[in-house]
Amino acid sequence: MNPNDRQARLVSGWDDPFQTWKRHADGDITREAEATVPHPLGDVRLGVYYDNAAVVKAKCTNKLGRTTSVNTMTVAKYFEQDPVTDTHRRTLAELARTAAGRAAKKLGCKATLPAVPAELPTPSKRLVNAESAGGTCGWYADYVAAEGRGRFPDRALAAPAAHAQEESCLLGMSGEEVRRLWPSLSKDEVGSDSLDDVLRVAPFWLRTESYFGDEAGEVKTDHFGRDQRELPPGTTGSDGAENVWWASSTCDGEPAVHTLSSDYPYDRVVGKRLRALFKAYVTDVAARRHCTHLKFPSAATFVED
């Protein structure tokens, strides 16, 4: 049983990953993300977890001998002054594991789930210097070292790199770097946005995400007021309305979808450089995950300089 529409993997360049509703006197809203990126849960056979949620996946064989899967998610919603603790996160993972086992049994599937690890490393929302980033953003540090950073972000938020069902790397530009870059930008590149807009409510950011196995079949773009657009495995392209590009491959024998998201007008600021950056990411994840049959969107799908 694949995830239903409510559990679909939604990607969108309009889904701001930073807490822009908070006012920062120094105009530096990319210091911390609104949420963590997904972290592998143990040896990745279980699933992933965030700062306030856990997702457990149970692969099983049904009565007809077919392999299927069940995903369960548990979420804790507290007031900001009472953050979710490491103990709470482990409880969320235990609950999700129990629910996944029960759901599989109800469907008549045989599933064996490993135990939840005794320790779950605390996921962070704070971005670090991109040039020293590792894990799921290690590819970006390598790219910057080889090609230079130019107009790309100077901050990154990563998780440990593992063979989990999903992974993500969030890149953001600091207020200081925006101020340095701003005089070199043309009116066509920034549109109607002002420097104050970018510093306070419209930060420059990029995000790469990959989904594997059943999750790859549930990737869609999402934006208020528009129908969701499916990004099927085996296809490539872009959704200009959402500032999303996607590639596909087969990883360890299962389908995979790889995405790059940005926000207007930053997609115009980095222009055609986006294609080389995205290709660097997809090439890296394909090597790490033993992916074949790699399909990448054409140059025509990226914004011209």
Side-chain angles (χ1 to χ4, degrees), residues 20 27-30 173-175 178-179 182 185 190 193-204 264-266:
T20 53
D28 197 8
I29 58 179
T30 62
M173 186 173 287
S174 66
V178 170
R179 291 186 180 91
W182 194 259
L185 304 182
V190 300
D193 283 1
S194 66
L195 174 59
D196 188 65
D197 290 335
V198 176
L199 293 174
R200 297 183 183 277
V201 296
F204 287 170
Y264 174 85
Y266 190 48

Side-chain angles (χ1 to χ4, degrees), residues 257-273:
V257 171
H258 317 282
T259 69
L260 169 67
S261 305
S262 183
D263 196 4
Y264 174 85
Y266 190 48
D267 60 316
R268 295 185 176 275
V269 171
V270 288
K272 286 192 293 187
R273 301 170 188 85

Side-chain angles (χ1 to χ4, degrees), residues 64-81:
L64 299 177
R66 296 173 181 171
T67 300
T68 184
S69 67
V70 176
N71 277 21
T72 58
M73 172 184 281
T74 52
V75 181
K77 294 185 178 181
Y78 298 163
F79 291 109
E80 188 174 0
Q81 60 269 27

